[in-house]
């Protein structure tokens, strides 16, 4: 489904990803863990098509050999890539329903499928809202405006349920959530697991992986995958912390968070 | 001949035709106004009130008085279409003016509204001479305003709206001003008088449209007189022709606890200047000014507002938003005066601008003159571009870039439009905005 080879990425002249290689097969769930500043969010944004990043080396092949890096963000979405944002954006004046129907129909148009009318869309949306226990009143509000942190994250998973991507990238969907909200979000994600859908779950905490059990766990540190293993690797990290990755991780962490 | 000379000559030539039913007072006013205009000429950029707006495109033109006040074939069809668009199937009154003159055969009066009188100013001069005499030109003082002087000297017709004491006008009153004539360029000087007696309420929608693509000048003065506890909801939708000049002077006189909600939408014209002056002369008066301007190409729009808090406990809220594309230019000057007696004044002003192009320019200037000490006054101005994070969020969900830009731009405008409670008007404006967005030049470039 996804084949990342030797990916180097710069932001404002500074190299964040330094030769990242990762393969995700169809239907697999991969967790990417790592300290702050290791490049987790950069990877997520680069895969979704944000322009602000300079790709200096490497390739990303998606779903039967498509050159993902050559595609515009909207074309990636139409091809089935979905990013659940770490910080979903508030868009005053654009209603949730209108936004999501526009998105869905733009994708359907690109795929040569028929557009959904307002009524069909609403019944679909209602069914999907139940997955994340979202109150229908959210649909009539502006996109993420005035939503709590947990509501925003639920809205991301709800959008994912509606758009049914082939590759979902969840960027710290767990951060800022209490246990109850985390369970709701995780249940939503688990219900979307399927043999046709791959997922990359980016997280800082092992806690999420108690609820979303990954096929593989990777440790990203200093812009590279430094270790890969099964879910037991996450437990190991929980006990020892990222300190086992030594100086490289410490340097990356010192270089600043959020990149 | 330049514009000033041609206008003065036109006045001489039409002496026997305009102002026939004038009272002595108005006759004197006209003469004084003409002298004032002859003296002042067109405003120059050395005049602080016109610093960022040059009328040099207008001054070489030889303006003529319109000679035709009947629509020709194609204009007639277009007017019929506008009628249905503007009324949108709702009841209400609609007064149509062609080249500044009332056109009764295209006007409609469906919807019974006892106590609400809507007629042409020319007719009101005769039938309501006492009211006209009491109010006309009592509020629009000239104070060095060239264009208002010009209007006062030249005005022939316009709308007269009168709402009797304690009457709530059920349906909106549409005033539609259409420009279309053989004269090139023509100068039209509509004059409107809207009087709400104590305890009454009404909604008045002024629309300005140009059917011809030639340049012409609309130079309108509207006086609104809002009695005690009366409430006027007023809209001005300016969609003049692409080469038109639109100059507007709106005066708002507010009695005790009188409320004005004004909304000014400016989309058309090559040069548009919108002056709004609210006189909160009595205690508890309230004035809300909302505005939206959308310009592209080489359009220039200038909004000058003045809110004069004269008495205590007066409230003003102002929210003007602008969207600028291509090489357009916008000016916003929002003056708030709080007089020494106007304690407990509560005033909030905001002007936000969205630039869609690197070549667009905005000059925004809040101007507070506060002479009282126990007041609440806030103001803010912002100039920005579309939010890149929001744009990426939409694109990452599959919405193409151009569509995402249009969606965000529309959302910026919707803050002003969404609060309009008349469905037909709101839908019409929403449609206008969509159309504007799909035809605006840098949008088109984005797509390609």
């Amino acid at each position: 489904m996804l084949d990342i080879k030797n990916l180097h990425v710069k932001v404002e002249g500074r190299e964040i990803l330094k030769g990242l290689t990762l393969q995700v097969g169809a239907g697999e769930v991969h967790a990417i863990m790592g300290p702050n500043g290791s490049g987790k969010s950069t990877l997520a944004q680069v895969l979704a098509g944000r322009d602000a990043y300079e790709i200096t080396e490497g390739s990303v092949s998606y779903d039967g050999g498509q050159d993902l890096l050559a595609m515009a963000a909207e074309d990636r979405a139409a091809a089935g890539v979905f990013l659940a944002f770490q910080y979903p954006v508030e868009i005053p004046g654009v209603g949730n329903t209108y936004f999501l129907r526009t998105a869905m129909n733009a994708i359907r148009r690109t795929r040569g499928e028929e557009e959904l009318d307002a009524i069909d869309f609403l019944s679909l949306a209602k069914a999907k809202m139940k997955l994340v226990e979202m109150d229908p009143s959210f649909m009539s509000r502006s996109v993420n405006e005035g939503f709590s942190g947990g509501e925003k994250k639920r809205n991301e998973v709800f959008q994912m349920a509606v758009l049914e991507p082939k590759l979902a990238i969840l960027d710290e969907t767990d951060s800022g959530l209490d246990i109850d909200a985390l369970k709701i979000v995780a249940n939503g994600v688990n219900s979307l697991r399927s043999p046709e859908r791959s997922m990359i779950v980016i997280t800082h905490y092992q806690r999420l992986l108690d609820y979303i059990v990954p096929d593989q766990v990777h440790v990203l540190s200093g812009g590279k995958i430094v270790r890969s293993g099964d879910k037991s690797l996450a437990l190991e990290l929980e006990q020892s912390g990222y300190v086992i990755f030594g100086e490289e991780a410490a340097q990356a962490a010192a270089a600043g968070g959020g990149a | 001949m330049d514009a000033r000379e041609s206008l003065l000559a036109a006045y001489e030539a039409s002496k026997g035709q305009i102002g026939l039913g004038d009272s002595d007072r108005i006759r004197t006013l006209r003469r004084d106004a003409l002298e004032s205009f002859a003296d002042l000429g067109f405003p120059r950029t050395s005049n602080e009130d016109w610093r960022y707006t040059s009328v040099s495109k207008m001054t070489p033109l030889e303006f003529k008085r319109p000679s035709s006040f009947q629509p020709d074939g194609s204009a007639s069809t277009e007017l019929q279409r506008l009628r249905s668009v503007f009324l949108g199937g709702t009841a209400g009154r609609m007064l149509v003016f062609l080249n500044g003159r009332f056109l009764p055969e295209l006007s409609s009066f469906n919807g019974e509204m006892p106590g609400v009188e809507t007629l042409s100013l020319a007719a009101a001069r005769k039938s309501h001479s006492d009211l006209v005499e009491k109010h006309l030109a009592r509020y629009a003082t000239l104070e060095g305003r060239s264009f208002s002087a010009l209007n006062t000297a030249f005005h022939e017709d316009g709308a007269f709206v009168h709402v009797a004491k304690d009457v709530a006008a059920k349906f909106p009153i549409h005033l539609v001003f259409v420009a279309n004539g053989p004269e090139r360029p023509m100068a039209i000087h509509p004059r409107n008088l809207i009087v709400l007696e104590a305890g009454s309420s009404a909604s008045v929608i002024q629309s300005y449209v140009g059917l011809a693509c030639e340049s012409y000048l609309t130079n309108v003065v509207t006086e609104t007189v809002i009695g005690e506890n009366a409430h006027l909801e007023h809209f001005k939708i300016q969609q003049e022709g692409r080469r038109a000049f639109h100059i507007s002077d709106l005066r708002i006189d507010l009695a005790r606890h009188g409320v004005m909600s004004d909304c000014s939408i400016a989309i058309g014209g090559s040069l548009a200047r919108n002056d709004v002056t609210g006189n909160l002369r009595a205690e508890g008066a309230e004035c809300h000014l909302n505005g939206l301007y959308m310009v592209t190409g080489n359009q220039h729009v200038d909004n000058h507002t003045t809110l004069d808090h004269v008495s205590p406990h007066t409230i003003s809220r102002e929210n003007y938003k602008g969207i600028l594309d291509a090489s357009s230019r916008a000016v916003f000057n929002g003056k708030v005066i709080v007089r020494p007696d106007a304690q407990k004044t509560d005033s909030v002003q905001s002007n936000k601008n969205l630039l869609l192009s690197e070549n667009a320019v905005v000059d925004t200037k809040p101007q507070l003159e506060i002479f009282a000490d126990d007041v609440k006054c806030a103001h803010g101005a912002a100039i920005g571009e579309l939010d890149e994070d929001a744009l990426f969020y939409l694109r990452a969900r599959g919405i193409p870039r151009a569509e995402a830009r249009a969606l965000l731009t529309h959302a910026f405008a919707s803050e002003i439009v969404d609060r309009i409670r008349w469905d037909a008007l709101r839908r019409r404006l929403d449609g206008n905005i969509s159309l504007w967005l799909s035809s605006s030049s840098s949008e088109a470039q984005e797509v390609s």
Side-chain angles (χ1 to χ4, degrees):
Chain A
M1 180 61 67
L2 187 72
D3 189 0
I4 306 173
K5 285 204 177 91
N6 190 31
L7 188 63
H8 290 255
V9 175
K10 276 185 181 174
V11 183
E12 288 164 359
R14 200 163 61 92
E15 191 164 54
I16 304 291
L17 296 183
K18 302 168 182 173
L20 185 141
T21 295
L22 175 71
Q23 275 119 34
V24 180
E28 292 176 3
V29 174
H30 288 229
I32 295 181
M33 304 185 70
N36 286 329
S38 58
K40 301 191 300 288
S41 283
T42 299
L43 175 64
Q45 299 261 319
V46 165
L47 292 178
R50 182 105 203 204
D51 301 330
Y53 298 90
E54 190 195 344
I55 291 144
T56 51
E57 225 185 306
S59 66
V60 179
S61 162
Y62 168 71
D63 191 24
Q66 298 176 71
D67 179 2
L68 196 69
L69 299 177
M71 295 160 76
E74 52 268 39
D75 296 332
R76 297 184 200 194
V81 176
F82 180 93
L83 169 64
F85 281 62
Q86 183 181 3
Y87 300 111
V89 184
E90 296 194 11
I91 311 181
V94 178
N96 239 340
T97 308
Y98 183 76
F99 154 66
L100 197 51
R101 188 159 74 90
T102 305
M104 182 161 205
N105 281 336
I107 290 173
R108 293 177 76 101
R109 232 174 14 242
T110 313
R111 292 179 183 164
E113 296 165 8
E114 210 173 304
E115 295 188 21
L116 281 190
D117 65 23
I119 295 161
D120 288 344
F121 174 77
L122 221 59
S123 59
L124 171 79
K126 271 188 187 149
K128 303 288 187 182
M129 258 183 282
K130 290 195 183 119
L131 280 181
V132 287
E133 299 173 33
M134 211 165 104
D135 192 289
S137 69
F138 280 82
M139 289 307 284
S140 54
R141 289 167 57 180
S142 287
V143 177
N144 294 321
E145 194 187 24
F147 286 26
S148 71
E151 287 162 351
K152 284 180 183 169
K153 297 298 175 78
R154 269 197 253 179
N155 196 21
E156 294 294 289
V157 178
F158 161 66
Q159 290 173 29
M160 172 176 153
V162 170
L163 298 176
E164 299 184 321
K166 282 185 193 161
L167 172 67
I169 304 147
L170 284 77
D171 188 6
E172 301 208 19
T173 300
D174 55 325
S175 46
L177 298 186
D178 61 31
I179 280 292
D180 288 338
L182 181 71
K183 280 182 189 164
I184 292 169
V185 164
N187 283 341
V189 172
N190 284 331
S191 68
L192 295 169
R193 286 179 84 149
S194 92
E196 290 84 41
R197 182 167 298 131
S198 308
M199 293 189 193
I200 296 174
V201 180
I202 294 171
T203 181
H204 189 73
Y205 308 102
Q206 188 272 336
R207 188 182 66 157
L208 176 69
L209 305 181
D210 290 342
Y211 300 97
I212 303 173
V213 182
D215 298 304
Q216 279 195 58
V217 176
H218 309 276
V219 178
L220 179 60
S221 179
K224 281 182 190 171
I225 302 285
V226 292
R227 247 184 101 179
S228 297
D230 62 15
K231 61 185 175 184
S232 63
L233 178 57
L235 293 168
E236 192 184 318
L237 282 172
E238 177 76 358
Q239 277 148 26
S240 58
Y242 293 109
V243 82
I244 56 167
F245 301 105
E247 264 184 44
E248 205 178 5
Q251 273 170 9
Chain B
M1 269 202 295
D2 65 9
R4 178 178 155 278
E5 287 161 358
S6 65
L7 282 160
L8 293 173
Y11 186 81
E12 279 304 312
S14 59
K15 245 182 176 171
Q17 297 161 58
I18 64 172
L20 290 176
D22 281 350
S23 65
D24 289 346
R25 182 180 68 93
I26 298 295
R27 200 171 304 126
T28 310
L29 264 179
R30 277 192 203 271
R31 208 172 41 234
D32 293 350
L34 187 75
E35 269 171 30
S36 173
F37 172 73
D39 212 37
L40 292 164
F42 282 98
R44 295 167 193 276
T45 50
S46 55
N47 176 342
E48 186 58 32
D49 278 343
W50 290 82
R51 192 165 153 198
Y52 300 107
T53 297
S54 163
V55 296
S56 60
K57 271 199 276 183
M58 207 186 292
T59 46
L61 301 175
E62 285 186 35
F63 285 107
K64 296 176 182 70
R65 179 171 175 255
S67 65
S68 163
F69 301 100
Q70 285 303 319
D72 54 30
S74 63
S76 194
T77 316
E78 183 61 17
L79 282 168
Q80 290 293 357
R81 192 189 69 82
L82 285 176
R83 233 163 81 114
S84 61
V85 170
F86 286 6
L87 280 175
T90 55
R93 296 195 188 166
M94 180 161 151
L95 279 73
V96 177
F97 296 82
L98 184 71
N99 299 337
R101 188 171 293 180
F102 182 50
L103 210 59
E105 57 272 33
L106 278 169
S107 300
S108 15
F109 294 88
N110 52 339
E112 276 289 301
M113 290 198 283
V116 181
E117 293 183 89
T118 48
L119 59 158
S120 77
L121 185 66
R125 255 188 246 283
K126 296 181 195 108
S127 60
H128 296 71
S129 57
D130 47 343
L131 279 169
V132 172
E133 185 52 26
K134 186 178 171 191
H135 294 294
L136 186 70
R138 299 281 185 189
Y139 313 93
T141 45
L142 301 182
E143 295 152 350
R145 297 197 191 197
S146 307
F147 287 103
S148 307
L150 198 57
N151 177 288
T152 301
F154 277 88
H155 76 274
E156 294 180 55
D157 205 354
F160 174 80
V161 176
H162 183 260
V163 185
K165 190 168 180 290
D166 294 329
V167 167
K170 237 193 312 184
F171 308 112
I173 299 158
H174 300 251
L175 311 175
V176 182
F177 296 87
V178 183
N180 184 43
E183 278 79 24
R184 266 173 272 195
M186 106 190 129
I188 309 163
H189 308 279
R191 181 84 183 206
N192 304 313
L193 178 60
I194 301 169
V195 180
L196 269 65
E197 301 293 353
S200 68
S201 64
S203 294
V204 177
I205 304 163
Q206 295 195 38
S207 292
Y208 291 83
V209 281
L211 299 184
C213 54
E214 285 94 32
S215 64
Y216 59 88
L217 165 67
T218 297
N219 175 35
V220 55
V221 173
T222 300
E223 290 172 290
T224 60
V225 190
I226 300 161
E228 275 192 35
N229 286 315
H231 189 153
L232 175 63
E233 188 182 34
H234 178 261
F235 303 89
K236 191 179 74 142
I237 321 292
Q238 187 269 102
Q239 294 174 285
E240 301 273 19
R242 264 295 152 99
R243 295 179 63 198
F245 306 104
H246 179 93
I247 313 279
S248 166
D249 181 359
L250 170 67
R251 306 294 179 104
I252 305 156
D253 183 75
L254 288 155
R256 205 179 147 89
H257 296 290
V259 181
M260 168 69 147
S261 302
D262 179 53
C263 180
S264 167
I265 311 279
I267 302 177
S270 127
L271 171 74
R273 163 78 178 226
N274 193 41
D275 277 89
V276 179
T277 306
N279 184 8
L280 296 94
R281 62 174 168 82
E283 200 172 309
E286 201 173 319
C287 193
H288 299 254
L289 303 181
N290 292 306
L292 173 68
Y293 43 95
M294 302 178 77
V295 279
T296 184
N298 289 311
Q299 282 181 289
H300 182 113
V301 61
D302 179 347
N303 284 290
H304 261 65
T305 65
T306 304
L307 287 159
D308 195 352
H309 292 261
V310 178
S311 288
H313 295 284
T314 43
I315 298 168
S316 66
R317 292 284 179 274
E318 181 168 16
N319 186 11
Y320 267 69
K321 295 185 101 173
I323 300 169
L324 290 90
D325 206 346
S327 303
S328 62
R329 209 171 156 176
V331 180
F332 175 83
N333 191 104
K335 191 195 267 190
V336 176
I337 306 165
V338 182
R339 306 272 173 190
D341 289 341
Q343 299 294 0
K344 304 287 179 189
T345 284
D346 176 1
S347 166
V348 181
Q349 180 193 77
S350 162
N351 172 235
K352 293 198 180 102
N353 296 279
L354 177 59
L355 300 182
L356 299 177
S357 146
E358 285 176 7
N359 299 319
V361 178
V362 176
D363 291 289
T364 174
K365 184 176 158 200
Q367 212 182 328
L368 266 63
E369 296 174 9
I370 302 174
F371 304 102
D373 50 20
D374 185 12
V375 301
K376 243 178 12 187
C377 288
H379 65 88
I383 301 170
E385 294 165 22
L386 285 175
D387 178 2
E388 280 297 325
D389 289 334
L391 204 54
F392 178 60
Y393 191 72
L394 296 176
R395 293 178 65 202
R397 292 291 176 265
I399 301 173
R401 187 181 164 82
E403 205 178 333
R405 282 177 63 98
L407 195 65
L408 292 176
T409 309
H410 204 132
F412 179 84
S414 69
E415 190 192 344
I416 301 297
V417 175
D418 282 355
R419 57 175 82 168
I420 298 175
R421 67 193 171 100
W422 301 106
D423 290 341
L425 179 63
R426 196 181 53 248
R427 276 199 302 270
R428 181 185 134 209
L429 287 174
D430 249 337
N432 290 145
I433 293 169
S434 300
L435 195 67
W436 188 92
L437 288 170
S438 63
S439 62
S440 170
S441 67
S442 43
E443 283 299 319
Q445 284 161 17
E446 290 286 345
V447 180
S448 62

